[in-house]
Amino acid sequence: MNARLSSELWHGVENLAILPQAAALCYRVELGRPEVLLITTRQTRRWIIPKGWLMPGLTAAETATQEAWEEAGVVGKYSDQSLGQFPFVKMRPRKGPVLCMVDVYPLHVKSLAQEFPEKGQRKRQWCSLKKAASKVASPDLAVILRSFKSGLH
């Protein structure tokens, strides 16, 4: 699944640098149904999935797994197979905006730590795929969430 830029997002970003990020779609299966873990952003408190800049020495899937640990305390097993990609514009105070293309990797959650690096900075919430898709701002991420099939990973 490739990301597409809506006309609203594309307007004004034609000249922005495009940088890669990696995200973890953290999931569990409860009563035979997949649930995904959403977290809030630190400043605007919007619901997202853990994501971040690619880390030297790590694959994109490993980066996503590390971000899930730091941002949400997730311990689990990742897949190297991307579920898709979504775009977003990241506003950087000193460097200006960039267009991020975020690859999403499934991460089967084995446990959630009570203590983790960004505890107290974010909220965590388990949601059905449908509810998670309705909570995130990115239409492309919502498509990935709605189409996720947990048994394939």
Side-chain angles (χ1 to χ4, degrees):
M1 176 181 308
N2 289 328
R4 56 186 161 48
L5 288 175
S6 66
S7 57
E8 306 88 52
L9 182 59
W10 186 250
H11 181 71
V13 300
E14 302 90 356
N15 298 318
L16 294 182
I18 301 174
L19 299 176
Q21 286 197 336
L25 192 156
C26 304
Y27 73 95
R28 68 182 182 187
V29 178
E30 290 289 312
L31 302 174
R33 295 179 184 226
E35 293 182 332
V36 295
L37 184 69
L38 295 182
I39 62 171
T40 56
T41 61
R42 287 188 287 200
Q43 287 155 2
T44 62
R45 311 308 277 176
R46 289 177 296 110
W47 290 104
I48 60 167
I49 60 177
K51 64 177 178 50
W53 304 111
L54 298 182
M55 297 177 186
L58 299 180
T59 67
E62 290 168 341
T63 293
T65 301
Q66 180 64 31
E67 290 294 340
W69 161 251
E70 292 175 8
E71 296 179 358
V74 169
V75 176
K77 185 176 189 301
Y78 68 88
S79 169
D80 282 321
Q81 183 180 2
S82 174
L83 297 170
Q85 192 176 64
F86 70 94
F88 85 101
V89 175
K90 177 151 183 86
M91 303 308 286
R92 301 179 306 170
R94 292 185 211 39
K95 296 181 181 179
V98 293
L99 177 61
C100 296
M101 296 304 291
V102 185
D103 285 300
V104 179
Y105 296 89
L107 177 59
H108 187 205
V109 177
K110 302 295 184 191
S111 64
L112 288 179
Q114 294 305 310
E115 299 296 325
F116 54 96
E118 296 184 16
K119 179 185 178 177
Q121 298 176 39
R122 302 175 185 274
K123 291 181 182 176
R124 307 183 286 195
Q125 183 178 58
W126 286 106
C127 299
S128 69
L129 296 171
K130 184 177 178 180
K131 184 172 183 178
S134 73
K135 285 180 161 266
V136 298
S138 166
D140 295 302
L141 176 55
V143 168
I144 292 169
L145 289 164
R146 280 193 297 272
S147 63
F148 178 64
K149 305 285 187 248
S150 62
L152 302 176
H153 305 284

